[in-house]
Coordinates of all heavy atoms in Angstrom, one line a residue:
M288 N 51.5 16.7 47.0 CA 51.8 15.6 46.1 C 51.9 16.0 44.7 O 50.9 16.4 44.1 CB 50.7 14.5 46.3 CG 50.7 13.4 45.3 SD 49.6 12.1 45.8 CE 48.4 12.2 44.5
P289 N 53.1 16.1 44.1 CA 53.2 16.6 42.7 C 52.6 15.6 41.7 O 52.3 14.4 42.0 CB 54.7 16.7 42.5 CG 55.3 15.8 43.5 CD 54.3 15.8 44.6
L290 N 52.4 16.0 40.5 CA 51.8 15.2 39.5 C 52.8 14.1 39.1 O 53.9 14.3 38.6 CB 51.5 16.0 38.2 CG 50.8 15.3 37.1 CD1 49.4 14.9 37.5 CD2 50.7 16.3 35.9
T291 N 52.4 12.8 39.5 CA 53.2 11.7 39.2 C 52.6 10.6 38.3 O 53.2 9.7 37.9 CB 53.6 11.0 40.6 OG1 52.4 10.6 41.2 CG2 54.5 11.9 41.4
H292 N 51.3 10.8 38.1 CA 50.6 9.8 37.2 C 49.5 10.6 36.4 O 49.3 11.8 36.6 CB 49.9 8.7 38.1 CG 48.9 9.2 39.0 ND1 49.2 9.8 40.3 CD2 47.5 9.3 39.0 CE1 48.1 10.2 40.9 NE2 47.1 9.9 40.1
R293 N 48.9 9.9 35.5 CA 47.9 10.5 34.6 C 46.7 11.0 35.4 O 46.2 10.3 36.2 CB 47.5 9.5 33.5 CG 46.4 10.0 32.6 CD 46.1 9.1 31.5 NE 47.0 9.4 30.4 CZ 46.9 9.0 29.2 NH1 45.9 8.2 28.9 NH2 47.8 9.3 28.3
V294 N 46.3 12.2 35.0 CA 45.0 12.8 35.5 C 44.2 13.1 34.3 O 44.6 13.6 33.3 CB 45.3 14.1 36.3 CG1 44.1 14.8 36.8 CG2 46.3 13.8 37.5
E295 N 42.9 12.8 34.5 CA 42.0 13.1 33.3 C 40.7 13.8 33.8 O 40.3 13.7 35.0 CB 41.6 11.8 32.6 CG 40.8 10.8 33.4 CD 40.4 9.6 32.6 OE1 41.3 8.7 32.5 OE2 39.3 9.6 32.0
F296 N 40.2 14.7 32.9 CA 39.0 15.4 33.2 C 38.4 15.9 31.9 O 39.1 15.8 30.9 CB 39.3 16.6 34.2 CG 40.3 17.6 33.7 CD1 40.1 18.7 33.0 CD2 41.7 17.3 34.0 CE1 41.1 19.5 32.5 CE2 42.7 18.1 33.6 CZ 42.4 19.3 32.9
K297 N 37.2 16.4 31.9 CA 36.5 16.9 30.7 C 36.3 18.4 30.8 O 35.9 18.9 31.9 CB 35.2 16.2 30.6 CG 35.3 14.7 30.3 CD 33.9 14.0 30.2 CE 34.1 12.5 30.0 NZ 34.8 11.8 31.0
V298 N 36.5 19.1 29.7 CA 36.3 20.5 29.6 C 35.7 20.9 28.3 O 35.7 20.1 27.3 CB 37.7 21.3 29.8 CG1 38.2 21.0 31.2 CG2 38.6 20.9 28.8
Q299 N 35.3 22.2 28.2 CA 35.0 22.8 26.9 C 36.1 23.8 26.6 O 36.7 24.4 27.5 CB 33.7 23.5 27.0 CG 32.5 22.6 26.8 CD 31.2 23.4 26.6 OE1 30.9 24.2 27.5 NE2 30.5 23.2 25.5
L300 N 36.4 23.9 25.3 CA 37.4 24.9 24.9 C 36.8 26.3 25.1 O 35.7 26.6 24.8 CB 37.7 24.7 23.4 CG 39.0 25.1 22.9 CD1 40.2 24.4 23.7 CD2 39.2 24.8 21.4
Q301 N 37.7 27.2 25.6 CA 37.3 28.6 25.9 C 37.9 29.5 24.9 O 38.4 29.0 23.9 CB 37.8 29.0 27.3 CG 37.2 28.1 28.4 CD 37.8 28.5 29.8 OE1 38.8 29.2 29.9 NE2 37.2 27.9 30.8
N302 N 37.7 30.8 25.1 CA 38.2 31.8 24.2 C 39.8 31.6 24.0 O 40.4 31.2 25.0 CB 37.9 33.2 24.6 CG 36.5 33.5 24.5 OD1 35.7 32.9 23.8 ND2 36.0 34.4 25.3
Q303 N 40.3 32.0 22.9 CA 41.7 32.0 22.5 C 42.3 30.6 22.6 O 43.4 30.4 23.0 CB 42.5 33.0 23.4 CG 42.0 34.4 23.3 CD 42.7 35.3 24.2 OE1 43.4 34.9 25.1 NE2 42.6 36.6 24.0
N304 N 41.5 29.6 22.4 CA 41.9 28.2 22.3 C 42.6 27.8 23.7 O 43.6 27.2 23.7 CB 42.9 27.9 21.2 CG 42.2 28.2 19.9 OD1 41.0 28.0 19.7 ND2 43.0 28.6 18.9
R305 N 41.9 28.0 24.7 CA 42.4 27.7 26.1 C 41.3 26.8 26.8 O 40.2 26.9 26.5 CB 42.6 28.9 26.9 CG 43.8 29.8 26.4 CD 44.0 31.0 27.2 NE 45.1 31.7 26.7 CZ 45.4 32.9 27.1 NH1 44.8 33.5 28.0 NH2 46.5 33.5 26.5
F306 N 41.8 26.1 27.8 CA 40.9 25.4 28.7 C 41.5 25.5 30.1 O 42.7 25.8 30.3 CB 40.8 23.9 28.3 CG 42.1 23.1 28.5 CD1 42.4 22.5 29.7 CD2 42.9 22.9 27.4 CE1 43.6 21.8 29.8 CE2 44.1 22.2 27.5 CZ 44.4 21.6 28.7
Q307 N 40.6 25.4 31.1 CA 41.0 25.6 32.5 C 41.1 24.3 33.2 O 40.2 23.4 33.1 CB 40.0 26.5 33.2 CG 40.4 26.8 34.6 CD 40.2 28.2 35.0 OE1 39.5 28.9 34.3 NE2 40.8 28.6 36.1
I308 N 42.2 24.1 33.9 CA 42.4 22.9 34.7 C 41.6 23.2 36.0 O 41.7 24.2 36.6 CB 43.9 22.7 35.1 CG1 44.7 22.5 33.8 CG2 44.1 21.6 36.0 CD1 46.2 22.4 34.0
P309 N 40.7 22.2 36.4 CA 39.9 22.5 37.6 C 40.7 22.7 38.8 O 41.8 22.2 39.0 CB 39.1 21.1 37.7 CG 39.1 20.6 36.4 CD 40.4 21.0 35.7
K310 N 40.2 23.6 39.7 CA 41.0 24.1 40.8 C 41.3 22.9 41.8 O 42.4 22.9 42.4 CB 40.2 25.1 41.6 CG 41.0 25.9 42.6 CD 40.2 27.0 43.2 CE 40.2 28.2 42.3 NZ 39.6 29.4 42.9
I311 N 40.4 22.0 41.9 CA 40.6 20.9 42.8 C 41.8 20.0 42.4 O 42.6 19.6 43.2 CB 39.4 20.0 43.0 CG1 39.5 19.0 44.1 CG2 39.0 19.3 41.7 CD1 39.4 19.6 45.5
I312 N 42.0 19.9 41.1 CA 43.2 19.2 40.5 C 44.5 20.0 40.8 O 45.5 19.4 41.1 CB 43.0 18.8 39.0 CG1 41.9 17.8 38.9 CG2 44.3 18.3 38.4 CD1 41.5 17.4 37.5
R313 N 44.4 21.3 40.5 CA 45.6 22.1 40.8 C 46.0 22.1 42.2 O 47.2 22.0 42.5 CB 45.3 23.6 40.4 CG 45.2 23.8 38.9 CD 45.0 25.2 38.5 NE 43.6 25.5 38.8 CZ 43.1 26.7 38.8 NH1 43.9 27.8 38.6 NH2 41.9 27.0 39.1
W314 N 45.0 22.1 43.1 CA 45.3 22.0 44.6 C 45.9 20.7 45.0 O 46.8 20.6 45.7 CB 44.1 22.4 45.4 CG 43.7 23.8 45.4 CD1 44.5 24.9 44.9 CD2 42.5 24.4 45.9 NE1 43.8 26.0 45.1 CE2 42.6 25.7 45.7 CE3 41.4 23.8 46.5 CZ2 41.6 26.6 46.0 CZ3 40.4 24.7 46.8 CH2 40.5 26.0 46.6
E315 N 45.2 19.6 44.5 CA 45.6 18.3 45.0 C 47.0 17.9 44.5 O 47.7 17.3 45.3 CB 44.6 17.2 44.4 CG 44.9 15.8 44.8 CD 43.8 14.8 44.3 OE1 42.8 15.3 43.8 OE2 44.1 13.6 44.4
Y316 N 47.4 18.3 43.3 CA 48.7 17.9 42.8 C 49.7 19.0 42.9 O 50.8 18.9 42.3 CB 48.5 17.4 41.4 CG 47.7 16.1 41.3 CD1 46.4 16.2 40.9 CD2 48.3 14.9 41.7 CE1 45.7 15.0 40.8 CE2 47.5 13.8 41.7 CZ 46.2 13.8 41.2 OH 45.5 12.7 41.2
K317 N 49.3 20.2 43.5 CA 50.2 21.3 43.6 C 50.8 21.7 42.3 O 52.1 21.9 42.2 CB 51.2 21.1 44.7 CG 50.6 20.9 46.1 CD 51.7 20.6 47.1 CE 51.2 20.4 48.5 NZ 50.0 19.8 48.7
L318 N 50.0 21.9 41.3 CA 50.5 22.2 40.0 C 51.1 23.7 40.0 O 50.4 24.6 40.5 CB 49.5 22.1 38.9 CG 49.0 20.6 38.7 CD1 47.9 20.7 37.6 CD2 50.1 19.7 38.2
E319 N 52.2 23.8 39.4 CA 52.9 25.2 39.3 C 52.8 25.6 37.9 O 53.0 24.8 37.0 CB 54.3 25.1 39.8 CG 54.4 24.7 41.3 CD 53.9 25.8 42.2 OE1 54.0 27.0 41.9 OE2 53.4 25.5 43.3
P320 N 52.8 26.9 37.6 CA 52.8 27.4 36.3 C 54.1 27.1 35.5 O 54.0 26.9 34.3 CB 52.7 28.9 36.4 CG 52.0 29.1 37.7 CD 52.5 28.0 38.6
S321 N 55.2 26.8 36.2 CA 56.4 26.5 35.5 C 56.6 25.0 35.2 O 57.5 24.6 34.5 CB 57.6 27.0 36.4 OG 57.6 26.3 37.6
Q322 N 55.7 24.2 35.7 CA 55.8 22.8 35.5 C 55.3 22.3 34.2 O 54.2 22.4 33.8 CB 55.0 22.1 36.6 CG 55.0 20.6 36.6 CD 54.1 19.9 37.6 OE1 53.5 20.6 38.4 NE2 54.1 18.6 37.7
P323 N 56.3 21.8 33.3 CA 55.8 21.3 32.0 C 55.1 19.9 32.2 O 55.3 19.2 33.1 CB 57.1 21.1 31.3 CG 58.1 20.8 32.3 CD 57.7 21.6 33.5
M324 N 54.1 19.7 31.3 CA 53.4 18.5 31.3 C 53.0 18.1 29.9 O 52.9 18.9 29.0 CB 52.2 18.6 32.2 CG 51.2 19.7 31.8 SD 49.9 19.9 33.1 CE 50.6 21.3 33.9
K325 N 52.8 16.8 29.7 CA 52.3 16.3 28.4 C 50.7 16.4 28.5 O 50.1 15.8 29.4 CB 52.7 14.9 28.2 CG 52.2 14.3 26.9 CD 52.6 12.9 26.7 CE 51.9 12.3 25.4 NZ 52.1 10.9 25.4
V326 N 50.1 17.1 27.6 CA 48.7 17.3 27.5 C 48.2 16.5 26.3 O 48.7 16.7 25.2 CB 48.3 18.8 27.4 CG1 46.8 19.0 27.3 CG2 48.9 19.6 28.5
T327 N 47.2 15.6 26.5 CA 46.6 14.9 25.5 C 45.1 15.3 25.4 O 44.4 15.2 26.4 CB 46.7 13.4 25.7 OG1 48.1 13.0 25.8 CG2 46.1 12.6 24.5
L328 N 44.6 15.7 24.2 CA 43.2 16.0 24.1 C 42.5 15.0 23.2 O 43.1 14.5 22.2 CB 43.1 17.4 23.4 CG 43.8 18.6 24.1 CD1 43.6 19.8 23.2 CD2 43.1 18.8 25.4
R329 N 41.3 14.7 23.6 CA 40.5 13.7 22.9 C 39.1 14.3 22.8 O 38.5 14.7 23.8 CB 40.5 12.4 23.6 CG 39.6 11.3 22.9 CD 39.7 10.0 23.7 NE 38.8 9.1 23.1 CZ 37.7 8.7 23.6 NH1 37.3 9.1 24.8 NH2 36.9 7.8 23.0
I330 N 38.6 14.3 21.6 CA 37.2 14.8 21.4 C 36.3 13.7 22.0 O 36.4 12.5 21.7 CB 36.8 15.0 19.9 CG1 37.8 16.1 19.4 CG2 35.4 15.4 19.8 CD1 37.7 16.2 17.9
F331 N 35.4 14.1 22.9 CA 34.5 13.2 23.6 C 33.8 12.3 22.7 O 33.2 12.8 21.7 CB 33.6 14.0 24.5 CG 32.8 13.2 25.5 CD1 33.4 12.5 26.5 CD2 31.4 13.1 25.4 CE1 32.7 11.7 27.4 CE2 30.7 12.3 26.3 CZ 31.4 11.6 27.3
N332 N 33.8 11.0 22.9 CA 33.1 10.0 22.2 C 33.7 9.7 20.8 O 33.2 9.0 20.0 CB 31.6 10.3 22.0 CG 30.9 10.1 23.3 OD1 31.3 9.4 24.2 ND2 29.7 10.7 23.4
L333 N 34.9 10.3 20.5 CA 35.6 10.0 19.3 C 37.0 9.4 19.7 O 37.5 9.7 20.7 CB 35.8 11.2 18.4 CG 34.5 11.8 17.8 CD1 34.9 13.0 17.0 CD2 33.8 10.8 16.9
G334 N 37.6 8.6 18.8 CA 38.8 8.0 19.2 C 40.0 8.7 18.6 O 41.1 8.1 18.4
F335 N 39.9 10.0 18.5 CA 41.0 10.8 17.9 C 41.7 11.6 19.0 O 41.1 12.3 19.7 CB 40.4 11.8 16.9 CG 41.4 12.6 16.2 CD1 42.3 12.0 15.3 CD2 41.5 14.0 16.4 CE1 43.2 12.8 14.6 CE2 42.4 14.7 15.8 CZ 43.3 14.2 14.9
Y336 N 43.1 11.4 19.1 CA 43.9 12.0 20.1 C 44.9 13.0 19.5 O 45.3 12.8 18.4 CB 44.7 11.0 20.9 CG 43.9 10.1 21.7 CD1 43.4 8.9 21.2 CD2 43.7 10.4 23.1 CE1 42.7 8.0 22.0 CE2 43.0 9.5 23.9 CZ 42.5 8.3 23.4 OH 41.8 7.5 24.2
E337 N 45.2 14.1 20.2 CA 46.3 15.0 19.8 C 47.0 15.3 21.1 O 46.4 15.6 22.1 CB 45.7 16.3 19.2 CG 45.4 16.2 17.7 CD 46.6 15.9 16.9 OE1 47.7 16.4 17.1 OE2 46.4 15.1 15.9
S338 N 48.3 15.3 21.1 CA 49.1 15.5 22.3 C 50.1 16.7 22.0 O 50.5 16.9 20.9 CB 50.0 14.3 22.7 OG 49.1 13.2 23.0
F339 N 50.5 17.4 23.1 CA 51.5 18.4 23.0 C 52.1 18.6 24.4 O 51.5 18.2 25.4 CB 50.9 19.7 22.4 CG 49.8 20.3 23.3 CD1 50.1 21.3 24.2 CD2 48.5 19.9 23.1 CE1 49.1 21.9 25.0 CE2 47.5 20.5 23.9 CZ 47.8 21.5 24.8
L340 N 53.2 19.3 24.4 CA 53.8 19.7 25.7 C 53.4 21.1 26.0 O 53.4 22.0 25.2 CB 55.4 19.6 25.6 CG 56.0 18.3 25.5 CD1 57.5 18.4 25.4 CD2 55.7 17.4 26.8
G341 N 52.9 21.3 27.2 CA 52.4 22.6 27.6 C 52.7 22.9 29.0 O 53.1 22.1 29.8
K342 N 52.4 24.2 29.3 CA 52.6 24.7 30.7 C 51.3 25.4 31.1 O 50.6 26.0 30.2 CB 53.7 25.7 30.8 CG 55.1 25.1 30.8 CD 56.1 26.2 31.1 CE 57.5 25.7 30.9 NZ 58.5 26.7 31.1
M343 N 50.9 25.4 32.3 CA 49.8 26.1 32.8 C 50.1 27.6 33.0 O 51.2 27.9 33.5 CB 49.4 25.4 34.1 CG 48.2 26.1 34.8 SD 47.7 25.2 36.3 CE 49.1 25.7 37.4
L344 N 49.2 28.4 32.7 CA 49.3 29.9 32.9 C 49.0 30.1 34.4 O 48.5 29.2 35.1 CB 48.4 30.7 32.1 CG 48.6 30.5 30.5 CD1 47.5 31.2 29.8 CD2 50.0 31.1 30.2
P345 N 49.4 31.2 35.0 CA 49.2 31.5 36.4 C 47.7 31.4 36.8 O 47.4 31.1 38.0 CB 49.7 32.9 36.6 CG 50.7 33.1 35.6 CD 50.2 32.3 34.4
D346 N 46.8 31.6 35.9 CA 45.3 31.6 36.2 C 44.8 30.2 36.1 O 43.6 30.0 36.2 CB 44.5 32.6 35.4 CG 44.6 32.3 33.9 OD1 45.4 31.4 33.5 OD2 43.9 33.0 33.1
G347 N 45.6 29.2 35.7 CA 45.1 27.8 35.7 C 44.7 27.3 34.3 O 44.2 26.2 34.1
R348 N 44.9 28.2 33.3 CA 44.5 27.8 31.9 C 45.8 27.3 31.1 O 46.9 27.7 31.4 CB 43.9 29.0 31.2 CG 42.6 29.4 31.7 CD 42.0 30.6 31.0 NE 40.6 30.8 31.3 CZ 40.2 31.5 32.4 NH1 41.0 32.0 33.2 NH2 38.9 31.6 32.6
V349 N 45.5 26.5 30.1 CA 46.5 26.0 29.2 C 46.1 26.4 27.8 O 44.9 26.2 27.4 CB 46.6 24.4 29.3 CG1 47.6 23.9 28.3 CG2 47.0 24.0 30.7
T350 N 47.0 27.0 27.1 CA 46.7 27.3 25.7 C 47.1 26.2 24.8 O 48.1 25.6 24.8 CB 47.6 28.6 25.3 OG1 47.3 29.6 26.2 CG2 47.3 29.0 23.9
V351 N 46.1 25.9 23.9 CA 46.3 24.8 22.9 C 47.0 25.3 21.7 O 46.5 26.3 21.1 CB 44.9 24.1 22.6 CG1 45.1 23.0 21.6 CG2 44.2 23.7 23.8
P352 N 48.1 24.8 21.2 CA 48.8 25.3 20.0 C 47.8 25.2 18.8 O 47.0 24.4 18.7 CB 49.9 24.3 19.8 CG 50.1 23.7 21.2 CD 48.8 23.6 21.8
R353 N 48.1 26.2 17.9 CA 47.2 26.3 16.7 C 47.2 25.0 15.9 O 46.2 24.6 15.3 CB 47.7 27.5 15.9 CG 46.8 27.7 14.6 CD 47.0 28.9 13.9 NE 46.7 30.2 14.4 CZ 45.5 30.6 14.7 NH1 44.5 29.8 14.7 NH2 45.3 31.8 15.2
I354 N 48.4 24.4 15.7 CA 48.4 23.2 14.9 C 47.6 22.1 15.5 O 46.9 21.3 14.7 CB 49.9 22.7 14.7 CG1 50.0 21.6 13.7 CG2 50.5 22.3 16.0 CD1 49.9 22.0 12.3
V355 N 47.5 22.0 16.8 CA 46.6 21.0 17.4 C 45.1 21.3 17.1 O 44.3 20.5 16.9 CB 46.9 20.9 18.9 CG1 45.9 20.0 19.6 CG2 48.3 20.4 19.1
I356 N 44.8 22.6 17.2 CA 43.4 23.1 16.9 C 43.0 22.7 15.5 O 41.9 22.3 15.2 CB 43.3 24.6 17.2 CG1 43.4 24.9 18.7 CG2 42.0 25.1 16.7 CD1 42.3 24.3 19.5
V357 N 44.0 22.9 14.6 CA 43.7 22.6 13.1 C 43.4 21.1 13.0 O 42.5 20.7 12.3 CB 44.9 23.1 12.3 CG1 44.7 22.5 10.8 CG2 45.0 24.6 12.2
Q358 N 44.2 20.3 13.6 CA 44.0 18.9 13.6 C 42.7 18.4 14.2 O 42.0 17.6 13.6 CB 45.1 18.1 14.3 CG 46.5 18.3 13.6 CD 46.5 17.6 12.3 OE1 46.0 16.5 12.1 NE2 47.3 18.2 11.3
L359 N 42.3 19.1 15.3 CA 41.0 18.7 15.9 C 39.8 19.2 15.1 O 38.8 18.6 15.0 CB 40.9 19.3 17.3 CG 41.9 18.7 18.4 CD1 41.8 19.5 19.6 CD2 41.5 17.3 18.6
H360 N 40.0 20.4 14.4 CA 38.9 20.9 13.6 C 38.6 20.0 12.4 O 37.5 20.0 11.9 CB 39.3 22.3 13.0 CG 38.8 23.4 13.9 ND1 37.4 23.7 14.1 CD2 39.4 24.3 14.6 CE1 37.3 24.7 14.9 NE2 38.5 25.1 15.2
Q361 N 39.6 19.2 11.9 CA 39.4 18.3 10.8 C 38.4 17.2 11.2 O 37.6 16.7 10.4 CB 40.7 17.7 10.3 CG 41.6 18.7 9.6 CD 42.9 18.1 9.2 OE1 43.2 16.9 9.6 NE2 43.7 18.8 8.5
R362 N 38.4 16.8 12.5 CA 37.5 15.8 13.0 C 36.2 16.3 13.5 O 35.2 15.6 13.4 CB 38.2 15.0 14.1 CG 39.5 14.3 13.7 CD 39.2 13.2 12.8 NE 40.5 12.6 12.4 CZ 40.7 11.4 12.0 NH1 39.7 10.6 11.9 NH2 41.9 10.9 11.7
M363 N 36.2 17.5 14.1 CA 35.0 18.1 14.7 C 35.0 19.6 14.3 O 35.7 20.4 15.0 CB 35.0 17.9 16.2 CG 33.8 18.5 16.9 SD 32.3 17.8 16.5 CE 32.4 16.3 17.5
P364 N 34.2 20.0 13.3 CA 34.3 21.4 12.9 C 33.9 22.4 14.0 O 34.4 23.5 14.0 CB 33.3 21.5 11.7 CG 33.2 20.0 11.3 CD 33.4 19.2 12.5
D365 N 33.0 22.1 14.9 CA 32.6 23.0 15.9 C 33.1 22.6 17.3 O 32.4 21.9 18.1 CB 31.0 23.1 15.9 CG 30.5 24.2 16.8 OD1 31.4 25.1 17.2 OD2 29.4 24.2 17.2
L366 N 34.4 22.9 17.5 CA 35.0 22.5 18.8 C 34.4 23.2 20.0 O 34.4 22.6 21.1 CB 36.5 22.8 18.7 CG 37.4 21.8 18.0 CD1 38.8 22.3 18.0 CD2 37.3 20.5 18.6
K367 N 33.9 24.4 19.9 CA 33.4 25.2 21.0 C 32.1 24.5 21.6 O 31.8 24.6 22.7 CB 33.0 26.6 20.6 CG 34.2 27.4 20.1 CD 35.0 28.0 21.2 CE 36.1 28.9 20.7 NZ 37.0 29.3 21.7
A368 N 31.4 23.7 20.7 CA 30.2 23.1 21.2 C 30.4 21.7 21.7 O 29.5 21.1 22.2 CB 29.2 23.1 20.0
S369 N 31.6 21.2 21.6 CA 31.9 19.8 22.0 C 32.7 19.8 23.3 O 33.4 20.8 23.6 CB 32.5 19.0 20.9 OG 33.8 19.6 20.6
F370 N 32.7 18.7 24.0 CA 33.6 18.5 25.2 C 34.9 17.8 24.8 O 34.9 17.0 23.9 CB 32.8 17.6 26.2 CG 31.8 18.4 27.0 CD1 30.5 18.4 26.6 CD2 32.1 19.2 28.0 CE1 29.5 19.1 27.2 CE2 31.2 19.9 28.7 CZ 29.8 19.8 28.3
L371 N 35.9 18.1 25.5 CA 37.2 17.5 25.3 C 37.6 16.7 26.5 O 37.4 17.2 27.6 CB 38.3 18.6 25.0 CG 38.1 19.4 23.7 CD1 39.2 20.5 23.7 CD2 38.2 18.5 22.5
E372 N 38.1 15.6 26.3 CA 38.7 14.8 27.4 C 40.2 15.2 27.5 O 40.9 15.2 26.5 CB 38.6 13.3 27.2 CG 37.1 12.8 27.3 CD 37.0 11.3 27.1 OE1 38.0 10.6 27.6 OE2 36.1 10.9 26.6
V373 N 40.7 15.7 28.6 CA 42.0 16.1 28.8 C 42.7 15.1 29.7 O 42.2 14.7 30.7 CB 42.1 17.5 29.4 CG1 43.5 18.0 29.6 CG2 41.3 18.5 28.6
Y374 N 43.9 14.7 29.3 CA 44.8 13.8 30.0 C 46.1 14.6 30.3 O 46.8 15.0 29.4 CB 45.1 12.5 29.3 CG 43.9 11.8 28.9 CD1 43.4 11.9 27.6 CD2 43.2 10.9 29.8 CE1 42.2 11.2 27.2 CE2 42.1 10.2 29.4 CZ 41.6 10.3 28.1 OH 40.5 9.7 27.8
L375 N 46.5 14.7 31.6 CA 47.7 15.4 31.9 C 48.7 14.3 32.4 O 48.3 13.6 33.3 CB 47.5 16.4 33.1 CG 46.5 17.6 32.8 CD1 46.4 18.5 34.0 CD2 47.0 18.4 31.6
D376 N 49.8 14.3 31.9 CA 50.9 13.3 32.2 C 52.1 14.1 32.6 O 52.5 15.1 32.0 CB 51.2 12.4 31.1 CG 50.1 11.5 30.7 OD1 49.6 10.8 31.6 OD2 49.7 11.5 29.5
P377 N 52.9 13.6 33.6 CA 54.1 14.2 34.0 C 55.2 14.0 32.9 O 55.1 13.0 32.1 CB 54.6 13.5 35.3 CG 53.9 12.2 35.2 CD 52.6 12.4 34.5
V378 N 56.1 14.9 32.8 CA 57.1 14.8 31.7 C 58.4 14.2 32.4 O 58.7 14.4 33.4 CB 57.5 16.2 31.1 CG1 58.6 16.1 30.2 CG2 56.3 16.8 30.5

């Protein structure tokens, strides 16, 4: 079943401004590295959203663009210590 509706989960930002999509979500929706998706990030417990179009790397990680990181840093200076809510939408 391909990604046809919004999926959400919580993650921490990893090295090189990346986060990993949980394996169970990748398996359930048969996500492919070439599949584009709309990614929305929200700092947990804050009402601030940032969205971008992204693709998953073969290892299941998504790289967050630098401009989005800069916008998120304005609201939360220490992103590595906070959780992000991730919403994946089909394009």
Side-chain angles (χ1 to χ4, degrees):
M288 167 169 119
L290 186 63
T291 57
H292 61 279
R293 175 176 272 195
V294 176
E295 64 180 83
F296 55 93
K297 294 175 180 63
V298 296
Q299 276 189 302
L300 205 57
Q301 298 174 349
N302 291 338
Q303 299 176 349
N304 299 328
R305 294 181 179 170
F306 65 86
Q307 182 137 14
I308 299 173
K310 193 175 278 191
I311 192 76
I312 292 175
R313 288 183 286 170
W314 286 349
E315 182 177 350
Y316 297 102
K317 296 179 177 39
L318 295 179
E319 297 291 328
S321 61
Q322 180 181 0
M324 59 189 98
K325 179 182 174 190
V326 180
T327 304
L328 299 176
R329 179 176 175 253
I330 300 172
F331 189 65
N332 289 338
L333 292 179
F335 181 70
Y336 291 88
E337 280 295 324
S338 297
F339 63 95
L340 289 176
K342 287 186 186 178
M343 180 179 69
L344 299 172
D346 62 354
R348 289 181 170 83
V349 175
T350 303
V351 181
R353 182 173 290 297
I354 188 74
V355 174
I356 293 295
V357 169
Q358 293 293 324
L359 292 173
H360 266 295
Q361 290 178 354
R362 301 289 178 157
M363 178 68 76
D365 190 14
L366 280 177
K367 299 278 184 187
S369 61
F370 283 96
L371 297 175
E372 292 181 34
V373 178
Y374 303 98
L375 301 179
D376 293 305
V378 177

